[in-house]
Amino acid sequence: QLQQLLGISRHVVPYEQRVAMTMPASGRELFDVLDRRAVELLVPRYASQPAAESIDQLVAARVLIHTTEGLGITNLGLLLFARNLNEHLEHRDKRVRIIHYSGTDKADGEAYEGGLGYVRSLGGIMEQLTKILPRQPASLEGAQLIRRPVYPERSLREIVANALIHQ
């Protein structure tokens, strides 16, 4: 009863499953919005399958949903696979942003802002973090001085993935 008074639905659709945008059921415009290479990482045989089967796989992965208007790209699909998050005003604040401050002055910092979906951004994020995170003291291996990162790449990837998912 309280939910009715407050106007709260008991059947709230999670953010990730809500429709970010719709398009005709054919899905022809899909790759005007989503990055094909990133999608093919999720659905490796995407290009070699009939369109209907590929769309069904993306529906099963919750990247797309069928709507009365045609196909809907979910918020999850857009955040993961967008070609350019800057083109979607309601999702611009979800872009990846890394700021490296040189000291204690916040005015003196170097920023990295990603505009791609998270799948394609991950490489750039890792590259940027590798540049700014500390490294272990150099050690001699053979005839080379090697400076290994303090944080293992696999652990760093896990941290980044968790940060992106949990915002």
Side-chain angles (χ1 to χ4, degrees):
Q1 217 173 15
L2 180 61
Q3 288 176 329
Q4 285 179 329
L5 288 172
L6 296 174
I8 301 171
S9 171
R10 288 194 303 219
H11 303 289
V12 176
V13 177
Y15 172 81
E16 307 82 40
Q17 295 175 21
R18 292 184 205 150
V19 175
M21 62 181 300
T22 58
M23 64 183 54
S26 68
R28 285 193 187 105
E29 294 88 4
L30 187 63
F31 295 114
D32 292 342
V33 178
L34 303 183
D35 185 287
R36 178 181 291 274
R37 289 190 302 172
V39 169
E40 287 173 351
L41 290 172
L42 177 68
V43 185
R45 297 170 300 157
Y46 187 89
S48 63
Q49 293 181 25
E53 284 181 36
S54 298
I55 286 173
D56 288 343
Q57 283 188 307
L58 294 176
V59 168
R62 297 187 175 166
V63 171
L64 301 175
I65 60 172
H66 293 287
T67 68
T68 55
E69 295 89 26
L71 279 177
I73 299 176
T74 62
N75 285 328
L76 174 69
L78 191 64
L79 290 174
L80 288 177
F81 303 115
R83 292 180 76 182
N84 187 352
L85 282 173
N86 295 320
E87 294 176 355
H88 307 281
L89 295 178
E90 63 280 2
H91 293 87
R92 288 181 75 183
D93 62 333
K94 303 285 187 188
R95 294 172 297 171
V96 173
R97 189 166 179 222
I98 299 170
I99 302 174
H100 179 232
Y101 298 110
S102 298
T104 57
D105 184 7
K106 287 188 176 184
D108 187 23
E110 180 182 329
Y112 165 85
E113 289 196 32
L116 300 171
Y118 297 162
V119 171
R120 289 297 302 277
S121 291
L122 191 56
I125 295 167
M126 294 299 295
E127 185 178 309
Q128 185 67 23
L129 289 174
T130 300
K131 285 181 191 175
I132 62 177
L133 288 174
R135 295 187 160 277
Q136 295 178 359
S139 62
L140 191 60
E141 289 185 14
Q144 285 188 315
L145 276 177
I146 305 293
R147 292 196 69 207
R148 298 198 193 301
V150 171
Y151 307 104
E153 184 178 342
R154 186 174 181 166
S155 298
L156 195 55
R157 259 184 203 281
E158 181 74 19
I159 291 168
V160 169
N162 282 328
L164 290 173
I165 289 174
H166 297 295
Q167 300 274 322

